[in-house]
Amino acid sequence: MRIGELAERAGTTTRTLRYYEARGLLPARRDTQGHRVYDERDLRLLRQIRTLQDVGFGLEETRPFVECLRAGHPEGDLCPASLLVYRRKLAELDGLIDELTAVRAQVGERMARAERERAALAAEAAVPGGPEPGCELGGRI
């Protein structure tokens, strides 16, 4: 198949395919007229790359999976190098989850403090002669 058909079947662009070719992820075979030609194996490689990228893998992280398919394995994640990439990605995600959990706790603490202070101001406002709570936007608390 030609580059346009492969791009259409893979749900991508010819420009992307040329980029993958330049990065060594997609083979560069040509017919006698110099046109790029591809087969079903190339479509499998592209689907593997796209699937991994869709869940957050960088292009270089897909390389072991592509190489695994090229080596003849039925799936790109059956090789030790692919499993190593999975482990690294999971460790990276765990680190990000830990960071987000810590940030969430800080935001939750700040919100709880603000709500307590707001409630205290509202309680003071209910006392005759107490302060009238408000904000820059002119609204009441």
Side-chain angles (χ1 to χ4, degrees), residues 17-51:
L17 298 184
R18 288 190 297 272
Y19 179 70
Y20 292 168
E21 180 184 314
R23 299 297 304 255
L25 292 168
L26 191 62
R29 294 182 305 277
R30 303 222 178 224
D31 64 16
T32 56
Q33 297 159 342
H35 297 113
R36 290 174 173 91
V37 291
Y38 302 96
D39 59 24
E40 294 299 317
R41 292 174 302 200
D42 300 319
L43 183 58
R44 284 187 67 218
L45 295 178
L46 283 173
R47 286 185 174 151
Q48 178 76 75
I49 292 168
R50 304 281 299 174
T51 298

Side-chain angles (χ1 to χ4, degrees), residues 52-103:
L52 291 169
Q53 286 191 305
D54 287 348
V55 296
F57 285 76
L59 188 57
E60 276 306 307
E61 291 175 311
T62 69
R63 189 172 299 279
F65 299 86
V66 169
E67 291 171 358
C68 191
L69 285 171
R70 281 187 184 158
H73 294 278
E75 300 293 332
D77 55 6
L78 298 178
C79 296
S82 302
L83 294 172
L84 180 61
V85 173
Y86 275 149
R87 285 185 193 97
R88 276 193 222 133
K89 183 55 82 175
L90 284 173
E92 177 186 329
L93 291 170
D94 287 341
L96 291 171
I97 289 168
D98 291 345
E99 286 179 39
L100 287 172
T101 300
V103 169

